[in-house]
Amino acid sequence: MDGHLIVLLPIAAVWLAAGVVADGLPRLDRARALRRRTGWLLVLSVVGVGLTLAVLAVGLTSAGDTPVDRAAGQLPLVAVPALAVAVCTVRRVRRLRAGAGAFAAAPETPAPYGLRAAAGHPLVGLPAQVTALATVPGLLSAAGLGLSAGNGVTGVALTVGGLAVLAIGVRHGLRHNRLAERTLPGTGPALVGLPASPAAASSLHV
């Protein structure tokens, strides 16, 4: 196994885990579980951004040919969605976790649909999942399957990747809209008699 593949695998694993956790947030119907999972997502996002930036920084400041340098050469595509995670996702997840915490006093307290809709917002799950997807070309290249400009599979790979990103975005958007519709008057969390709080209210508008 090449050295830079060993460097890339933990980064890809962290982003994959973040994408899986983010995808499951809207399905959680208990506030305590939602708060716990948002904590996991926050940690995974911070670790993923930190690892990605650390490897890129070492690669940019080093003129050698170490495994880290070669791994950094595979990460520019990952850096863009990882930046979106740092700028957009982390802030939203922090607010979502604070909102869930306002309802998590009892283990079986239902999670309001407003919080679940916020958890399903495209900017919560999409950046992490796109970042995980962006690690695939680097992993394939490190494993010996090149996707250079002269390779016949490059165009197919770009098309498939673009379609995958589009499909993920549409899925998140549809799910977010479906959950948001349940917060309309007569269908929202007010019907279950849950207390309101400033922290929870702010999380509903992320």
Side-chain angles (χ1 to χ4, degrees):
M1 182 181 293
D2 290 341
H4 61 304
L5 180 58
I6 297 175
V7 176
L8 291 172
L9 281 175
I11 298 175
V14 169
W15 285 120
L16 177 61
V20 171
V21 172
D23 193 71
L25 290 181
R27 293 193 292 269
L28 299 174
D29 59 358
R30 293 294 179 264
R32 180 169 290 185
L34 183 59
R35 184 177 186 274
R36 182 173 63 251
R37 295 289 182 87
T38 51
W40 294 0
L41 179 57
L42 188 61
V43 170
L44 289 168
S45 298
V46 171
V47 170
V49 171
L51 287 175
T52 303
L53 294 181
V55 173
L56 282 171
V58 172
L60 290 174
T61 58
S62 173
D65 189 31
T66 66
V68 176
D69 294 323
R70 295 196 298 274
Q74 306 295 334
L75 289 180
L77 185 63
V78 180
V80 177
L83 181 62
V85 172
V87 173
C88 302
T89 301
V90 169
R91 177 180 63 86
R92 288 178 177 274
V93 172
R94 289 179 63 184
R95 295 178 64 181
L96 179 60
R97 186 169 188 267
F103 295 96
E108 298 302 317
T109 303
Y113 278 112
L115 283 176
R116 294 176 63 185
H121 193 283
L123 288 179
V124 173
L126 181 61
Q129 292 175 343
V130 172
T131 307
L133 187 63
T135 64
V136 174
L139 291 174
L140 294 177
S141 179
L145 179 59
L147 297 177
S148 61
N151 194 314
V153 302
T154 302
V156 175
L158 290 175
T159 301
V160 171
L163 290 175
V165 171
L166 179 62
I168 294 170
V170 170
R171 177 173 176 270
H172 279 291
L174 292 175
R175 184 167 62 175
H176 173 66
N177 289 339
R178 184 174 67 251
L179 289 169
E181 287 175 356
R182 299 185 183 182
T183 67
L184 297 176
T187 61
L191 293 181
V192 297
L194 294 173
S197 72
S202 66
S203 70
L204 302 183
H205 299 283
V206 295

